[in-house]
Amino acid sequence: MVVSIGSLESLLTNEEWVALIRHIGRGDKTALAVLYDATGPLVFGLVLMIVGDRITAEQITLDVYTAAWKTASTYDEGHGTPLTWLLSIARSKAMATFNSQAHSSSHRLKIEDGYSAADLTILDDNTGRLSPEHFENAGLALETMPAEEREVLEIAYYEGLSAGEIAGRLGRPPEEVKVQITKAMTNLLRPIVSGKRANA
Amino acid sequence: MRHDCPTHEIKEQAALYALGVLTHLEASAFESHIREGCEICRAELFKFERAAGMFALNAPQIKPPAYLIDLLQARIEKETAARTQSPENQFAVDQPFLTRALAHGRQIVAAIPWRLVSIRALPWAAASAFGVVSIMLLVALSSAHSASANQDHAIIEAKKQIEQMHGLVERATGRSKELAEIIAILGVPGVRQVQLVGEGPAASSRITLYMDDKSGLCIISADQLPVADGMVHHLWFVTPEGPKNAGTLQTDENGHAFLETSAEANFRNLNAACITLEPEGEVDHPTTRVLALGKITRSPRVHKQNSAATPDQPSDSEEAPPQHSQTDAPEGAEQRPRHAARQSGTTSIDNH
């Protein structure tokens, strides 16, 4: 079932997110429960996208929050927002499992359904507040991104293939793939940096 | 070498590194460069790591199964127990209780976005802090939490053991009653004892039938019967007119069954007894293969298992039901299904 993150119905300030992580770092189980409740669908969805198997995704999701519980005390604001920190853990663990199990891409989930992201929030650099508009912009950046850039980005992110491997699969020169990945990533950044919707 | 401005090459390296798609050698080289203190590359990497995070936010949001938070809770409790056993945390526990707990409580109340705590998370949350209607309650819960988590675990384990003990006691009590019944019937002069021999999945079953000719009382005790969901064991008396249902066995999960019943017909008209595994519900004739069969002879003597009849022993001998020869089988259909079952393993008893 694809759902929106309804539990994030109210905007959180960056201070609140960071406070949440700090409390987890001090061993506060309530804070971990709040984090899980707010981000569980996001983490589970991401992990499932990578590993393509619900049972495995459930185990990895448990691993992700257990890792968050153990390492929250070392969380460094300078290296990203709490959400990107958490998602980084999720992707890292999912990718490690995916690589170890040598899944074939045919087992991978496809994004068949759209999802309502209007109430999902991310950090706004200027206000320090999490803005649904910016998440929407990020989605728009993907939607308006040239198909070949989005394709290499999705393969790189969800499958962890190197530029050379992606090039081999798509029959494109490696240098072209590298350029496309860089452009795609830059496009994703555009809404955060400028506060405006990304242009194709 | 430190860079002065972000070049295309720097952006590319940072973007590929942030996505984790550089080769091992390339990634190592980039990390070394960052460690050397190139702030330009560090800033680019930071930007692209955030871009990767942005991309992750576009993954479909899929609600995890509800039980996952319970599994997570169990894991965290385990982690917490491990933490509290470390010397570092032992020291923390020794801090002045009120000061520490009050400070901790105030921090939680001030910083946790309570509106995000869902109903589903409440039981867990309540164990730590959300159940607080006052700071003092939070203090008590926060302080006692680690200890109570261990105690809870011990209580759960103890309850499990008590339940297991209850089960063992009930089973032992039931078996002692059964033994008393068997001893009582064995005390009756002329009572007959018949061993039923299992087939296929019931090959290791131990089944004994006790029959009192005078009272018509009949007891069957069975162990290691094969069990299956939605299926029950039926006892059948095989007569010249065909098999008659003698009752349903209440078989437990270990394959033990005990049944006290009575034979409607005169025991002397019974040729054999057998057991089948039938779908739940009433059945008036066997519909599945015979699991175990025992010949009922006319001689009121004790039968023993695994001592097959020999040609020089008549069909009414006290030996176990025939296994190798049809010549010692009594007349009637009761031996045919058994023989056929040994041949094909699939034969059912029909009315003959």
Side-chain angles (χ1 to χ4, degrees), chain B residues 99-342:
Chain B
T99 305
R100 180 172 53 83
L102 274 173
H104 181 56
R106 287 196 186 102
Q107 285 172 6
I108 292 176
V109 171
I112 295 295
W114 299 109
R115 60 189 179 278
L116 294 186
V117 180
S118 73
I119 296 298
R120 182 163 53 77
L122 276 180
W124 187 7
S128 170
F130 187 70
V132 184
V133 287
S134 71
I135 290 287
M136 290 311 294
L137 180 56
L138 172 66
V139 168
L141 287 173
S142 299
S143 173
H145 188 75
S146 295
S148 67
N150 290 336
Q151 288 170 358
D152 287 348
H153 181 70
I155 289 170
I156 290 169
E157 287 301 313
K159 282 181 176 175
K160 282 182 187 172
Q161 290 180 10
I162 289 170
E163 286 173 4
Q164 289 173 352
M165 290 299 290
H166 273 306
L168 288 173
V169 169
E170 283 178 7
R171 200 174 301 165
T173 305
R175 293 302 291 271
S176 68
K177 287 179 181 174
E178 293 172 7
L179 285 173
E181 298 281 350
I182 292 170
I183 290 169
I185 198 171
L186 284 174
V188 177
V191 72
R192 285 188 286 173
Q193 187 176 342
V194 178
Q195 301 287 345
L196 275 66
V197 178
E199 290 274 358
S204 60
S205 300
R206 297 193 307 275
I207 309 159
T208 309
L209 187 64
Y210 306 90
M211 309 173 75
D212 179 4
D213 283 343
K214 289 183 180 175
S215 67
L217 179 65
C218 183
I219 290 176
I220 185 165
S221 176
D223 284 296
Q224 298 181 29
L225 283 173
V227 294
D229 288 341
M231 306 286 279
V232 291
H233 293 104
H234 283 264
L235 173 65
W236 304 89
F237 286 140
V238 183
T239 70
E241 293 78 35
K244 293 186 182 303
N245 197 330
T248 305
L249 278 62
Q250 302 298 320
T251 314
D252 67 18
E253 69 273 15
N254 298 314
H256 174 74
F258 185 86
L259 176 68
E260 188 176 309
T261 183
S262 59
E264 292 179 4
N266 188 315
F267 281 167
R268 294 187 179 280
N269 292 331
L270 303 182
N271 294 319
C274 68
I275 289 176
T276 60
L277 190 57
E278 304 285 345
E280 287 179 349
E282 290 188 12
V283 288
D284 55 9
H285 66 278
T287 62
T288 60
R289 62 176 294 183
V290 173
L291 284 177
L293 179 73
K295 184 177 72 173
I296 299 172
T297 66
R298 290 167 189 165
S299 174
R301 297 188 215 165
V302 173
H303 295 249
K304 291 180 181 176
Q305 194 176 4
N306 298 328
S307 54
T310 56
D312 58 343
Q313 288 175 313
S315 63
D316 62 350
S317 83
E318 62 275 22
E319 297 301 331
Q323 297 184 38
H324 308 297
S325 169
Q326 276 188 295
T327 58
D328 57 353
E331 74 286 355
E334 71 280 3
Q335 293 303 329
R336 284 200 295 272
R338 174 176 176 77
H339 179 73
R342 284 194 181 278

Side-chain angles (χ1 to χ4, degrees), chain A residues 11-132:
Chain A
L11 297 184
L12 288 182
T13 65
N14 188 45
E15 286 72 23
E16 284 176 319
W17 276 112
V18 173
L20 207 56
I21 304 302
R22 295 282 175 247
H23 275 280
I24 293 170
R26 285 195 288 267
D28 187 335
K29 296 170 192 170
T30 305
L32 183 66
V34 171
L35 182 72
Y36 177 86
D37 213 43
T39 61
L42 185 61
V43 168
F44 186 64
L46 172 63
V47 171
L48 190 55
M49 274 292 290
I50 293 173
V51 300
D53 170 67
R54 286 191 77 92
I55 302 297
T56 308
E58 288 173 17
Q59 287 302 314
I60 296 171
T61 300
L62 288 177
D63 292 344
V64 170
Y65 287 98
T66 306
W69 171 256
K70 288 179 178 175
T71 61
S73 58
T74 61
Y75 165 69
D76 182 358
E77 282 181 77
H79 287 88
T81 68
L83 262 186
T84 54
W85 167 74
L86 184 68
L87 292 173
S88 168
I89 295 173
R91 186 197 178 226
S92 170
K93 290 197 171 295
M95 201 58 76
T97 303
F98 177 75
N99 289 334
S100 68
Q101 293 183 350
H103 282 148
S104 72
S105 59
S106 61
H107 293 150
R108 199 167 297 283
L109 285 184
K110 302 297 179 191
I111 303 177
E112 294 171 348
D113 304 315
Y115 57 92
S116 171
D119 56 353
L120 181 61
T121 56
I122 58 170
L123 181 64
D124 182 318
D125 277 352
N126 300 321
T127 65
R129 190 165 281 278
L130 299 164
S131 160

Side-chain angles (χ1 to χ4, degrees), chain B residues 25-83:
Chain B
L25 279 177
E26 291 169 334
S28 297
F30 188 71
E31 284 168 3
S32 298
H33 179 65
I34 295 283
R35 274 198 294 269
E36 285 170 4
C38 180
E39 291 303 322
I40 296 293
C41 286
R42 181 184 294 276
E44 286 301 307
L45 176 60
F46 179 61
K47 269 171 40 182
F48 283 114
E49 280 180 339
R50 297 185 66 180
M54 293 282 292
F55 183 77
L57 290 169
N58 283 277
Q61 319 303 317
I62 301 174
K63 194 174 180 181
Y67 57 77
L68 212 57
I69 193 165
D70 296 325
L71 295 178
L72 178 61
Q73 178 185 0
R75 270 203 192 184
I76 298 306
E77 295 293 352
K78 197 174 174 183
E79 289 291 331
T80 306
R83 279 191 190 188

